[in-house]
Amino acid sequence: MSKPRVDETELVTTTTTTKLVPVLYEKPAKNPIFFPAILVGLQAIFIILLGLHADYGHEPQPVSAHLPLPPNSIITFPNRTQIRIGAYESAGPSHRGIADFYSMFQDIHVMIFIGFGFLMTFLRRYGFSAVGYNFLVAAFVLEWAIIVRGYMFDFNADTKTFPIDVERIIVADFVAAAILISFGAVLGKVNPTQLIIMAFIEVLLQSANEFIGLRRYCAYDIGESMFVHVFGAYFGLAVSYMLYDEKLNSPEAEQREKSVYNSDLFSMIGTIFLFCFWPSFNAGVAAAGDSRLRAIVNTYISIASSVLLTYICSCIFNKEKKFDMVHIQNATLAGGVAVGTVADKIVRPFGAMIIGSAAGALSTGGFQFVKKILQKFRAHDTCGVNNLHGMPGLLAGIIGIILALFPAHSLYTDNLLPICWHGAYRTYIGQLAYQAAALGTTIAIAVIGGVITGIILRLPLLNDDRPSSYYNDRTHWETPDDFHQDAITAIHPVEVEHHHV
Amino acid sequence: MSKPRVDETELVTTTTTTKLVPVLYEKPAKNPIFFPAILVGLQAIFIILLGLHADYGHEPQPVSAHLPLPPNSIITFPNRTQIRIGAYESAGPSHRGIADFYSMFQDIHVMIFIGFGFLMTFLRRYGFSAVGYNFLVAAFVLEWAIIVRGYMFDFNADTKTFPIDVERIIVADFVAAAILISFGAVLGKVNPTQLIIMAFIEVLLQSANEFIGLRRYCAYDIGESMFVHVFGAYFGLAVSYMLYDEKLNSPEAEQREKSVYNSDLFSMIGTIFLFCFWPSFNAGVAAAGDSRLRAIVNTYISIASSVLLTYICSCIFNKEKKFDMVHIQNATLAGGVAVGTVADKIVRPFGAMIIGSAAGALSTGGFQFVKKILQKFRAHDTCGVNNLHGMPGLLAGIIGIILALFPAHSLYTDNLLPICWHGAYRTYIGQLAYQAAALGTTIAIAVIGGVITGIILRLPLLNDDRPSSYYNDRTHWETPDDFHQDAITAIHPVEVEHHHV
Amino acid sequence: MSKPRVDETELVTTTTTTKLVPVLYEKPAKNPIFFPAILVGLQAIFIILLGLHADYGHEPQPVSAHLPLPPNSIITFPNRTQIRIGAYESAGPSHRGIADFYSMFQDIHVMIFIGFGFLMTFLRRYGFSAVGYNFLVAAFVLEWAIIVRGYMFDFNADTKTFPIDVERIIVADFVAAAILISFGAVLGKVNPTQLIIMAFIEVLLQSANEFIGLRRYCAYDIGESMFVHVFGAYFGLAVSYMLYDEKLNSPEAEQREKSVYNSDLFSMIGTIFLFCFWPSFNAGVAAAGDSRLRAIVNTYISIASSVLLTYICSCIFNKEKKFDMVHIQNATLAGGVAVGTVADKIVRPFGAMIIGSAAGALSTGGFQFVKKILQKFRAHDTCGVNNLHGMPGLLAGIIGIILALFPAHSLYTDNLLPICWHGAYRTYIGQLAYQAAALGTTIAIAVIGGVITGIILRLPLLNDDRPSSYYNDRTHWETPDDFHQDAITAIHPVEVEHHHV
């Protein structure tokens, strides 16, 4: 009995048999040239653009940060002393700084890198890629998003600069969330070069869509449920649709598209950090004061409710009444998405609880029923982003539309700027229309952008991985000795055992 | 040699033999009906109660929060409008908001969900349940605790509402800690329906006990060492006592009640987050200023000291002078518990170090010696909560009593409210008596409440799991293919090996 | 075929053969006496020193925190009204408190305990020791560093006390970082007694070096790249050099000096928390206002850039164009180190990106090429601290020297105190010289101190572990049943399998 060389074989289990089959792990032919070249080129461009136009933002001056009074206000003390505010007022009352943003920024940063990164480690043989590509893509997006957002939103024509401060790096993290959601849809099916190109394009489209939604429609979406979650999910699904490959259904690929016990626990690290810090995501850039408090409280209640409904539905949907880790890892978070658009509005605590409950049930149902249907239509969704981000994000958008009917609760006039279309003269029905337009525009740009991006990623130059690379770290990572062994023993619970009996 | 169907067998190792024995994994008979039904019902009730009486709290107005002007100062705006300080002063100078609480809230939130959740993953075949039920129970408790605490502590008879703000959600997290400590005592021995019912009852009793302790006795316990740690530990032990089952000592159950290498590392994630954020737990609701600083510094020093003494004692107690992971995962944290009651008091840094050292030694000794003794008296304590939370909590309570003898250090008059019994006229001996009463009441309500709860949980309707479900994820969770394999190979280090030699 | 007793054998794999060889796991002969005795003694001394001289710091009074004016300043407003600052001013303009430091402190605390702790778990059989000794050493250093820094930097001769507040516990965490970097160099090669002694000495030397650099040279190094990273790395390498043992190259030791799949994922937890919170490390004690903002923004950009360059170089350096986990776990963070010395200076965003890019490439190159060269010269570097902390730290120091040529960007006069040598009269060339002196002094004290410490640690009394203890948890930890099994199956991917085919 000769020893097979594991480098050239792949263990394949079908429902009836298990055998070792030779697999050609061809080295990627062109990527070795492309990947570092593209990334070096983009990094060089980023350096040039930052050098030309980026500058530091400024911290608010001590008094003005905490005394948001109009310039030239006078404070009269009981003894009749008066002080005039003004000398300290450089940036106006809305200017906020480290004290307002930094702690929430760090929470969001952990969501992006630990939360998304570990959530995707559930695949038994794709953990290095999940957390590693998440790391690469997110770091790339932060750099690119600071630049794109700087030019689109913050460019000062006088000084020819855009500023970078804590609020801006929070926003760059939000952009990263959108791209990582799309990554979830194509997880295990694309190579790193494709990921970088996808991220490069998506940052441009996501920012453009958000600019239209926030600065022209003046739609509210404080937790970015439309601009990040809906956009990211349907952009990613469109890319996945375009990259669909029959071989995803091969027994080898399906075998690798499963979890093992420890990979599910690693994934739970991601889930729980996302759960804990979601209030910071939804309140991160909310207006100071009661708006921000509502964003925290509504998210806290809504996401706790989606946890409960996920356990309820996971149990109901399962024929043995067992909980399913896929649901627990994902649908539990849907309450954070669904409340996002209206998180800072007056939906009352019971409203937040209803929204979260509905989202938990909807998302669990999505994982149980909708995922398979989408796959039949060639929209393979590795992480189920349609269920966690897509449908709950649509729900958020719809809730936002409905809430516009109640101007005392939507407080929509708080968002109106002179640059908004129909800014100062907008009725609440007008706001409703703009909310709907924001949702519609988001879906349209995401789907069309995703299809075009998918076409680009299918170019033979880029799309050179083999089926053996699906959900397989070994194609692009040095893997330790136990990488094969674990996969093998995981598949053979009985065979290894039976000579003991 | 036919392959046994693992679905119907269980590998059993005793000291002398190993064999596969058939095990009937009976599906839970009644829970499938109960679990979702109870949870849906409770969630519906929560929505109604929140709808009737919950409202958002309010952020302090910027001026009053940061410019402690004497009341009745007048601010004159440029347009000559004047406002009198006082209009904003709804809650007095002690009213604090996001800037004061939010960063510590997030630390505490991570302790509850990541800290407790992963700390309990040490069981080799119960990781899904540990982190999953922790997630479920904590989310459930947050919702229920907001409501219960709202009615008990904060109900405004005029507006017929109770407010929800960041301080309140911190407190809900504290309540969750108590219930999760109790969960640690019964970990692996109860089903999710029992957990929900236990949590429902315990929130009521824990809150009532804390109301008596804080609002009538006016005992100090800033880090909740009595109201959370002692209460949670002895409530849980009383429940565990009532649920005692001889079959916990079966070889199968004992085999599953062990760790594996990776489960111990997952558990350390929990330990270290608890360690890092414990200063936030003890300082979370401390009074602004030096009190809060002392709570941070004392906890930082005390918990570092318990780490050192745990390593010392773990080495001394072990016959081969090796460290024991059970000690390192748990007793290291005892300094945070033991300093809790007096964390914001003037115990001086060296006092904090003595407290933490004593707690580390006490807790390690508890794991080494007391745990087995308790088990002989049918109080089986899966996570050793008596050692980490019970005894160090008692130590904290006793230190609190002793400190009352030194009013210049206990600053006990800071806690006195008009609603306290003997409020304004309390001597320091009176305070000592109330501290002792708080500790005694806590133990009494915890034990009696736990016994009654245990009786309820033993009802055949609820208590339908079989011995095969002890410490076993498979009863209530879909488990991946490798779930059995890992358990089997872990048990047979030599047998798998010996055909190689 | 008799079963070998695994307690007395060790599985050894060379390139051609695998066999079980008997290994004498001798119990440590003297440490059992030493370890607890030394630690008890030191803890007692700490308690006495804290009792003699430690006191709590104080929180700033509300107004003074936000109005940074000297006591008794008089503000004259445009309308000639004057107010005297004073009633509220207890601590002077630079005095900051919980609101300024606490959130960043917690980020840094997580870096020390989770970040460093899990980063070092990559060794397949040394995870307990990695995270466990990290925990022990860090807790020990916190206590000792508060005392040493208190006497060196903050002792008030009038009150005969030094204060402990949030800024001081941040600084104690910085000291811990230096010692843990040194720990990374000797990971797996020293016993816990040696670690404690090393830590005890290194805290004294690191603090003394930093005192010279900050208080006499008045060099800037806001992110502690010289005083922590360079010092820690070269101190550790010098110790490692002195402890060099040929048996580190034995097949057994080399086999254990590898990762497995899950240990690499645990390690990534550490990496990513370090990445996320590095801006807090570099900005933790930065001056309030724009300095602090720059420290955040520069670090955010620099460390993201080093992630990109690490992926680029890891791909280029690998002959199959695969990514190497060792690079991704470590070199990605080099941008945080390299920007540290000038993080709060005006290097502009593009400058930060260039620094981070250079650091990522340098560090990846270090892991790929320099590590092996150092090892030939007997400087074995388990975690590659030369590559992550040493060389990027030197780069940081050099950048600091160069920046001194541009006083408008280095703002060096902000650091000058009356106690600095040539304080008020220093030219920018003088500052350049002092920056160079700080770097040189750091290297000199680190190397000489490390050599002397290494000589002490080689005393037979302390250095009693056997080769079988290298990278092996079993020597000093109780290990679960699967500890051996996993190591064995990890080594035999084919043999366990081939009887199935």
Side-chain angles (χ1 to χ4, degrees), chain C residues 188-360:
Chain C
K189 299 174 288 190
V190 293
N191 62 43
T193 314
Q194 289 173 307
L195 276 177
I196 291 295
I197 292 172
M198 184 185 90
F200 182 82
I201 299 170
E202 189 175 354
V203 170
L204 289 166
L205 296 177
Q206 194 277 342
S207 298
N209 179 60
E210 186 160 349
F211 183 81
I212 295 168
L214 286 183
R215 295 290 174 92
R216 293 293 174 259
Y217 299 164
C218 290
Y220 46 78
D221 189 25
I222 194 69
E224 305 263 5
S225 296
M226 296 189 287
F227 303 137
V228 164
H229 293 285
V230 169
F231 189 94
Y234 294 111
F235 186 95
L237 278 175
V239 172
S240 182
Y241 176 85
M242 296 309 295
L243 294 177
Y244 186 77
D245 177 359
E246 288 290 335
K247 288 170 193 130
L248 286 170
N249 303 319
S250 72
E252 301 93 322
E254 289 198 336
Q255 194 61 40
R256 285 191 301 263
E257 199 189 349
K258 287 182 179 172
S259 65
V260 287
Y261 197 64
N262 281 332
S263 74
D264 272 326
L265 286 173
F266 277 115
S267 185
M268 282 300 287
I269 297 173
T271 300
I272 296 189
F273 272 108
L274 287 169
F275 171 88
C276 285
F277 292 149
W278 214 292
S280 297
F281 195 95
N282 284 353
V285 295
D290 282 353
S291 289
R292 205 167 217 213
L293 178 61
R294 285 193 298 268
I296 293 167
V297 169
N298 286 334
T299 307
Y300 180 90
I301 292 175
S302 178
I303 199 166
S305 304
S306 62
V307 173
L308 263 64
L309 265 287
T310 299
Y311 276 88
I312 291 169
C313 293
S314 186
C315 176
I316 290 174
F317 293 158
N318 186 281
K319 62 180 189 294
E320 290 181 302
K321 304 306 164 199
K322 293 182 176 184
F323 303 117
D324 188 328
M325 259 291 164
V326 173
H327 302 157
I328 307 306
Q329 285 158 358
N330 292 280
T332 47
L333 305 171
V337 179
V339 84
T341 299
V342 300
D344 61 340
K345 308 300 184 189
I346 301 172
V347 295
R348 303 274 317 276
F350 86 98
M353 194 174 270
I354 291 172
I355 293 169
S357 302

Side-chain angles (χ1 to χ4, degrees), chain A residues 1 3 32 43 54 56 58-59 62 82-83 102 106 127 132 142-143 173 473-474 476 478 482 485 488, chain C residues 66 77 81 261-262 275-276 280 290 293 298 300 305 308 311 318 321-323 348 357 493 495 497-498:
Chain A
M1 200 174 342
K3 296 178 188 179
Q43 181 79 353
Y56 303 110
H58 291 286
E59 276 288 281
Q82 294 186 330
I83 60 172
Y102 190 76
Q106 279 294 10
L142 298 189
E143 296 186 9
D173 274 26
D473 277 341
R474 200 171 55 171
H476 292 287
E478 292 284 344
D482 71 323
Q485 180 58 23
I488 290 167
Chain C
H66 301 294
F77 288 85
T81 312
Y261 197 64
N262 281 332
F275 171 88
C276 285
S280 297
D290 282 353
L293 178 61
N298 286 334
Y300 180 90
S305 304
L308 263 64
Y311 276 88
N318 186 281
K321 304 306 164 199
K322 293 182 176 184
F323 303 117
R348 303 274 317 276
S357 302
E495 283 83 348
E497 183 50 29
H498 65 144

